[in-house]
């Protein structure tokens, strides 16, 4: 048996900056076992791109996993037909057409309101003061839970993310996760009767009309909130920060030499908001000379794939003019992000252009620290609006 080679990491250093270790893994042990994470990591882009589609081996079904236990069984933890069915049922709420015809106007109205809120301030934190409420309002409308505030969305999302990653079993973290899921369940109970009377394009209304079981609806709404709040938040603030700290590239957009969409796609490659997606090895399998053990845990490392030097030249450089078509920031298989169209519109057509249009002289006001490897983004991004 040719087990994956062991690669030790320092968890704190990996959280702060995973890229040096990931580069070393890609070079010397592209499929390796990391004892500190109790998981096998797949780090090269083409390996992930191929293997993710092989769902008979790389299964999303993880019975007894923390996500299923705490949030219910959602589409991201299913394979094959059951997965496709639930995904198809949610599609009318998330399709590119619905995003353009229904959600975009909400995104614009809410973003304008958030900009009005900060308009007369000298300095703001792009994460907490701008990107968080913009992302939260978008998710209120998309999910149909308009009775919650943008801050509720952010808190509930974080509560669930922390709960799902609570491998150490902290009771406080688990309690916060239960509070988050209870908040969402109560909001669903509040909104369902209203949406029955007045159906709309939201996920809750759409899934209810398909006859999806309430337990699955609850689980899928929780999935959209746990996965749909912090990524746009981190991508909006992170991409704005990247442009402010690479002013020549921001200028290029102003001159028409590049687009906001290019800036977003490059940012999501450079600092992938979701750095990994977990799978269960469902049967014996060998790949590139490495034997994967059934029932072991494997992480597809999207954040590493997007810096694979065999695909992207000078991958650590932020360059909005590069070809990002091989980036897999939204995944590379049947679980490809269901919110990709909403995210692209929210971030590249609404949030970034409206922010820079309102504050064209905005500049960094200190340093921004980034953190995380499973989810990664700026912890704070202080700017002077220079009105
Ligand atoms: C910048 C923003 C976002 C990024 C980078 C992102 C990235 C991802 C990634 C990497 C996956 C896993 C793909 C895989 O395992 O192959 C995923 C799945 C998913 N995302 Fe997103 N996401 C974003 C925003 C959103 C938003 C706003 C929503 C909801 C409104 C959303 C809903 C989902 C859902 C439902 C899934 C599971 C799909 C399935 O299992 O079929 N995401 N996302």
């Amino acid at each position: 048996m040719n087990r994956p080679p062991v690669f030790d990491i320092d968890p704190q250093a990996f959280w702060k900056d995973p890229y040096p270790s990931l580069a070393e893994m890609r070079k010397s042990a592209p499929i390796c076992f990391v004892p500190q994470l109790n998981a096998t990591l797949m780090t090269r882009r083409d390996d992930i791109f191929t293997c993710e589609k092989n769902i008979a081996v790389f299964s999303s079904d993880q019975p007894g996993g923390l996500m299923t236990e705490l949030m219910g069984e959602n589409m991201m933890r299913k394979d094959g037909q059951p997965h496709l069915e639930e995904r198809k049922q949610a599609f009318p709420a998330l399709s590119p057409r619905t995003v353009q015809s229904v959600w975009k106007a909400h995104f614009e109205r809410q973003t304008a309101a958030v900009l009005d809120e900060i308009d007369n301030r000298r300095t703001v934190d792009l994460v907490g003061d701008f990107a968080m409420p913009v992302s939260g309002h978008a998710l209120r409308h998309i999910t149909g839970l308009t009775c919650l505030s943008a801050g509720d969305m952010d808190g509930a999302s974080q509560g669930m993310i922390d709960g799902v990653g609570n491998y150490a079993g902290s009771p406080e973290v688990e309690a916060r996760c239960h509070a988050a899921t209870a908040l969402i369940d109560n909001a669903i109970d509040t909104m369902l009767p209203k949406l029955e009377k007045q159906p709309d394009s939201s996920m809750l209304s759409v899934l209810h009309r398909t006859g999806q079981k309430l337990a699955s609806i609850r689980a899928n709404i929780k999935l959209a909130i746990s996965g749909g709040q912090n990524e746009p938040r981190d991508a909006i603030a992170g991409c704005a920060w990247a442009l402010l700290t690479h002013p020549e590239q921001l200028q290029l957009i102003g001159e028409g030499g590049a687009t906001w969409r290019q800036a977003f796609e490059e940012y999501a490659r450079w600092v992938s908001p979701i750095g990994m997606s977990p799978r269960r090895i469902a049967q014996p399998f060998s790949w590139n000379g490495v034997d994967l053990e059934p029932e072991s845990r494997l992480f597809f490392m999207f954040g590493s794939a997007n810096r694979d030097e065999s695909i992207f030249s000078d991958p650590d450089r932020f360059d909005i003019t590069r070809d990002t078509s091989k980036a897999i920031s939204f995944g590379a298989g049947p679980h490809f992000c269901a919110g990709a169209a909403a995210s692209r519109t929210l971030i590249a057509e609404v949030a970034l252009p409206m922010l820079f249009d309102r504050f064209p002289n905005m500049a960094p006001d200190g340093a921004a620290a980034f953190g995380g490897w499973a989810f990664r983004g700026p912890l704070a991004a202080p700017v002077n609006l220079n009105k």
Side-chain angles (χ1 to χ4, degrees):
M1 182 108 180
N2 200 4
R3 294 251 160 90
V6 170
F7 193 109
D8 285 299
I9 58 161
D10 168 351
Q12 274 177 354
F14 197 64
W15 186 87
K16 231 174 151 184
D17 181 5
Y19 295 115
S21 296
L22 292 171
E24 189 50 43
M25 289 175 199
R26 284 193 302 277
K27 191 167 154 210
S28 61
I31 301 172
C32 57
F33 180 74
V34 176
Q36 294 76 13
L37 305 177
N38 190 23
T40 300
L41 272 54
M42 186 176 275
T43 58
R44 283 190 184 158
R45 187 264 179 202
D46 284 353
D47 287 348
I48 298 174
F49 189 78
T50 306
C51 290
E52 193 178 345
K53 293 161 183 83
N54 185 352
I55 59 169
V57 174
F58 299 90
S59 172
S60 293
D61 178 26
Q62 292 159 43
L66 277 173
M67 183 183 255
T68 310
E69 292 288 309
L70 293 166
M71 289 163 52
E73 204 177 12
N74 62 51
M75 69 173 92
M76 204 158 160
R77 289 292 179 267
K78 292 182 180 172
D79 292 324
Q81 199 50 37
H83 162 250
L84 284 182
E85 206 165 299
E86 284 186 17
R87 199 183 152 98
K88 217 167 106 190
Q89 288 173 331
F91 183 72
L94 298 166
S95 72
R97 184 187 292 189
T98 307
V99 169
Q100 286 299 319
S101 63
V102 181
W103 304 134
K104 189 173 177 184
H106 286 290
F107 297 166
E108 287 169 340
R109 192 167 43 78
Q110 298 283 6
T111 302
V114 173
L115 288 169
D116 289 345
E117 283 270 311
I118 58 174
D119 194 69
N120 53 17
R121 288 174 52 182
R122 199 175 63 82
T123 57
V124 297
D125 166 20
L126 284 181
V127 180
D129 297 324
F130 178 67
M132 185 282 275
V134 164
S135 180
H137 284 303
L139 207 50
R140 289 172 55 238
H141 290 290
I142 294 174
T143 56
L145 302 189
T146 46
C147 58
L148 296 179
S149 68
D152 286 337
M153 283 293 176
D154 203 64
S157 174
Q158 200 58 53
M160 289 187 288
I161 288 171
D162 293 345
V164 167
N166 185 20
Y167 298 114
S170 152
E172 292 83 27
V173 173
E174 190 179 327
R176 279 201 300 275
C177 182
H178 287 314
T181 56
L183 182 82
I184 297 168
D185 282 329
N186 287 337
I188 290 175
D189 294 338
T190 303
M191 292 309 298
L192 252 187
K194 297 182 186 175
L195 291 170
E196 269 169 356
K197 278 194 206 125
Q198 263 190 314
D200 64 16
S201 300
S202 67
M203 256 182 99
L204 181 56
S205 185
V206 162
L207 290 178
H208 184 58
R209 291 204 297 281
T210 64
Q212 191 173 107
K213 281 202 248 108
L214 187 57
S216 298
I217 295 180
R218 290 187 191 284
N220 283 320
I221 296 274
K222 284 168 195 159
L223 167 68
I225 294 172
S226 76
Q229 166 65 18
N230 61 320
E231 293 84 354
R233 179 196 69 199
D234 295 348
I236 291 166
C239 187
W241 187 263
L243 290 168
L244 290 171
T245 51
H246 296 78
E248 73 295 346
Q249 303 199 36
L250 181 58
Q251 196 183 337
L252 205 58
I253 299 176
E255 292 166 355
T259 62
W260 295 109
R261 175 71 183 268
Q262 279 174 286
F264 164 61
E265 299 293 343
E266 168 62 354
Y267 175 77
R269 179 202 69 79
W270 190 53
V271 180
S272 306
I274 293 195
M276 77 92 170
S277 191
R279 295 295 185 272
R280 176 178 61 89
I281 300 301
Q283 53 176 275
F285 189 68
S286 296
W287 185 256
N288 284 350
V290 176
D291 298 327
L292 299 172
E293 207 175 335
E295 299 310 317
S296 63
R297 207 151 55 118
L298 181 135
F299 293 166
F300 289 134
M301 301 299 287
F302 299 137
S304 171
N306 285 340
R307 292 211 187 192
D308 189 331
E309 35 292 283
S310 70
I311 309 286
F312 305 102
S313 62
D314 202 359
D316 295 339
R317 202 161 63 88
F318 176 71
D319 174 6
I320 65 173
T321 63
R322 78 162 76 230
D323 176 5
T324 54
S325 58
K326 288 201 162 175
I328 51 173
S329 323
F330 287 108
H335 292 274
F336 183 87
C337 177
S343 304
R344 285 177 165 134
T345 296
L346 175 67
I347 298 164
E349 294 175 31
V350 178
L352 290 172
M354 285 180 72
L355 173 69
F356 282 94
D357 189 46
R358 179 79 72 105
F359 305 117
N361 301 317
M362 184 172 54
D365 188 42
F370 282 65
W373 57 271
F375 298 99
R376 188 165 178 83
L379 309 176
V383 294
N384 190 322
L385 298 177
N386 283 327
K387 290 248 330 165

